Amino acid sequence: MQNDKNFKYQGIPTTSDGSGTVVWVETHISQGACAYPITPSTNMGVGYESAVSNGHKNLWGDDLAFIEPESEHSSASACEGFALAGGRVTNFTSGQGLVLMKEVLFTIAGKRLPVVFNIGARALTSQSLNVHAGHDDVMAVTDCGWGMLFGKNAQEGADLCLIARKVAENCDTPFMNIMDGFLTTHTVENVLLPEPDFMLEFIGKPEDKIKNLMDTENPIMSGVVQNQDSYMKGKIAQRLYTDKILENVTKIMNEFYEATGRRYNVVEAYKLEDADYAIVGLGSAMETAMATVDFLREKRGIKAGVLHVTCFRPFPANEVVDALKHLKGIAVLEKMDNPLAESNPLTTEIKSAFVDALNGIRKHKKIDKIPLIISGSGGLGSMDVRPGHFIRIVENLMEKSETRKDYFTVGIKHETGLELKEDPDVRPKGAFSMRGHSVGGYGSVTTNKVIATIAAEVFNLNVQAYPKYGSEKKGLPTTYYLTIAQGQIRTHCELEKVEFIPLNDVNAFNLGNPLAGITENGMVFIQTQETDALKIWEAIPGFAKKIIWEKNIRIFALDTVKIAKDVATKVDLVQRMQGIVLLGIFLRVTPFMEREKITYDDLMGQVEKSIRKYFGKGGERVVKDNLECVKRGYNEVFEIPEEIISGVTV
C-alpha cells in the first residue's frame, strides 16, 4: 500500500479480511445484492445482509436490498433483472455456484449490464469435494464476456471492487472482482478502507451512470430472438464496447492512483527490469513469490522477478509481452489443471500473446524471439505453496532441456512434482509469528482476528491472520496462523517457523508434533485443568520435552475452560470464550506490550474497543464477559518454572 501526504484520499486505517473490505465497498456504493452465497464467499453475503437488516443506506440515501433466491442460477437472473431496471447490483459467489450461473452470465454480458460479482475463487468439485482456493471456477467462465480483475490481498479486494465498478459502468460491461477463497477472503490484514467521500466522488450516483432498460416511457428491446440474418451482426457489434475496455481499465486505475496513492496496473511487474527469469500467476501466491524473489536475489544472486496479471479479462497481451520479452525463461503457476488442453488458461494466453508479437499482428509490437515458457500447477484446493516451491520453480527454469520438467507441480509427490529442497524464512525482519492448534467451534479463529486487530491498532504493527480448517470444521482440529511485523507481510502460506504456539486442543500432542518449527527461545501455551506445574511438565510427551529443552522453550499454562465457564452468562458462549481467554494470555507472554511501553489500563481500553468491534452486536453483557475473559487470561496464566524443566531427565 502506497501512501503520501499529497494524496487526497489516503484511506481509513484498520484491519479486515478480504470479505470485509468488499462488504465495506458494496454497502456504500450499490443499491442491492442478489445472492445465494456459497463457501467461501458466504462472509460477503452475510456481511451485506447484516447491513440491510440494520437499516444501512448507501451513500446516496437508498435503502439496500438483499434478495436470496433458491439457487446461484436464480440469483444471477435476479441481478440481471435488477440491472435491467437501472439498479446498481452485486453478487457474491464461488465454485460450483459460479459455474451454475454460466447460462445467465452470457446474457448479462450480451445485454451490456454493468454489474459486479465478487468471487471467492474456489476449486470445483471433480474427483472430490473441496471448498478451498482454486481458479477452476473463474477459468470456467472466462468466455462469458465479463471483465475479470484478480486481487492478491484484502486491500486489493476493496480497491479493485471500486475500479471494477467504475470500468463496468463506463464500458457497459459486467466485471468480476476475484479473490482467492479463504487465502484472501478470510485473511485479516492491515487495510486502508476507501473513504465514503472518495467513493461518492469516484463512483457517482447510480441514476447518473446506469441505463434503465425497463423504462416504459422509453421502451427498448432487450434479449430478442435473432435468426440467421441478424445474430452474427449483433455478436460482432459487441466489439464496439469490448475493444475499449482495456484502455478504460488503465485510465481508471490511474485515476484511482491520483486520488489514493495506491498504484494498480493491468499487470504488476516486480523486479523484472534486469531479471533473467520470471514467475507469472494470479492471486495471493504471487505475493509469496515476490518475497521469495527478494531472497533469491540477496542470497543466491539469481535475477528473478514476478509478474502478477491483475486484469485477466480483457487480457493485456501487449503489457504482458513488454514485461517479459527480455527474459530467458518464464514459469507460469496456475491454481488449476486442465490436462486435455494444450496448456492451462493463463499459459495459453501468454503463449498466444508472444506468437502474435513474434508475427507483429493484432497491434503487437514485433519481437524477434520468444522466451522459454513453461507451466505448472500449485495451490489447488488451498494446497500450501511455499517459498521453497518458488525456488524450485526458478531452478527448474534454469535446468537443461533433458532434465527440466516442462509441466510441473508443487506441493505433491508425483512424477511432475518439484521436490522441496530448501524452504527459507521470508517473513519481514523481526517478525513474530504464532501457530495455534485448536478445535473448530472454540472461537480460536475469531480470537486470532481480534489479536491481529489489537496488534495493528495498539502496537502500530502490520498483521496477517488466517485459519486452516476443512469443510468439516466444527469439533475437529483447527490450525490458525498469525504474523506481526514492522514490514509488509507477503507470505500467504502456512507458517513453519513460529515464536509462539498455543495448544488449545488438549489432544494436540497425540495428533503429531505441534512444536514443529518453533524457534529458539520460543513460547508454548498449554490448555490444562492441572494447576501443579510439575504434573503439567510430566504429562508432556518425551519427544516434546526434548524439543523444549534443546530450544530453551518457555511453557505457560492455564485452564481456559474453567474461566469461560465462570464468566459466560450464556451456556452457548462457554466454548467460544475459551478462545477469548487466549487473547489475554497472548498479551501477557508476548513482547509487544513491553516493547511499545503500553500500560495495562491503556491496553485493556484498546482490547475493549476491539471486542466491541467483533462482539458488540451481542449486547453489553457479551462485551463485558469477553473483556473479563481477556483480563483473567492475562492475570492468571502461569509459567512452568525453569528449574522444573531443566531438572527433569529426558
Side-chain angles (χ1 to χ4, degrees), residues 105-289:
L105 299 183
F106 282 105
T107 61
I108 290 174
K111 293 177 182 179
R112 316 311 316 165
L113 302 177
V115 304
V116 172
F117 282 18
N118 295 283
I119 314 298
R122 165 181 160 178
L124 289 178
T125 298
S126 52
Q127 88 286 353
S128 64
L129 168 70
N130 182 281
V131 301
H132 297 281
H135 291 166
D136 321 53
D137 56 355
V138 289
M139 292 303 164
V141 297
T142 56
D143 56 346
C144 295
W146 288 55
M148 303 175 81
L149 302 182
F150 279 82
K152 305 188 306 300
N153 51 47
Q155 181 69 56
E156 296 184 9
D159 293 349
L160 294 178
C161 186
L162 282 169
I163 290 168
R165 181 68 67 176
K166 187 160 187 176
V167 177
E169 294 179 359
N170 277 18
C171 299
D172 295 300
T173 298
F175 260 75
M176 294 180 190
N177 176 37
I178 302 165
M179 300 177 287
D180 286 342
F182 287 109
L183 300 179
T184 307
T185 58
H186 287 59
T187 296
V188 173
E189 300 175 282
N190 302 75
V191 295
L192 298 170
L193 293 177
E195 300 92 335
D197 285 349
F198 167 61
M199 292 188 282
L200 195 72
E201 179 183 309
F202 185 72
I203 297 298
K205 190 177 182 180
E207 289 82 355
D208 296 338
K209 306 280 285 186
I210 305 170
K211 303 177 184 70
N212 179 3
L213 301 180
M214 303 295 284
D215 182 0
T216 55
E217 298 298 318
N218 299 283
I220 297 173
M221 286 195 300
S222 175
V224 298
V225 173
Q226 293 178 329
N227 288 321
Q228 296 93 326
D229 59 332
S230 301
Y231 176 79
M232 183 174 175
K233 297 175 187 176
K235 188 68 175 178
I236 302 304
Q238 299 271 323
R239 287 178 176 261
L240 176 68
Y241 296 91
T242 57
D243 286 350
K244 301 173 183 177
I245 298 173
L246 191 63
E247 178 184 353
N248 228 277
V249 174
T250 299
K251 174 177 174 288
I252 289 169
M253 284 179 167
N254 287 336
E255 289 178 11
F256 188 90
Y257 167 73
E258 292 298 328
T260 67
R262 299 194 290 278
R263 169 71 75 185
Y264 293 96
N265 292 296
V266 292
V267 296
E268 181 182 356
Y270 185 76
K271 296 191 175 179
L272 283 176
E273 296 86 353
D274 65 339
D276 294 321
Y277 304 97
I279 300 163
V280 184
L282 305 159
S284 59
M286 290 303 102
E287 280 208 315
T288 308

Side-chain angles (χ1 to χ4, degrees), residues 547-560:
I547 296 171
I548 292 165
W549 185 73
E550 290 176 344
K551 293 195 172 183
N552 194 33
I553 306 301
R554 298 171 67 190
I555 307 295
F556 297 86
L558 186 63
D559 187 355
T560 62

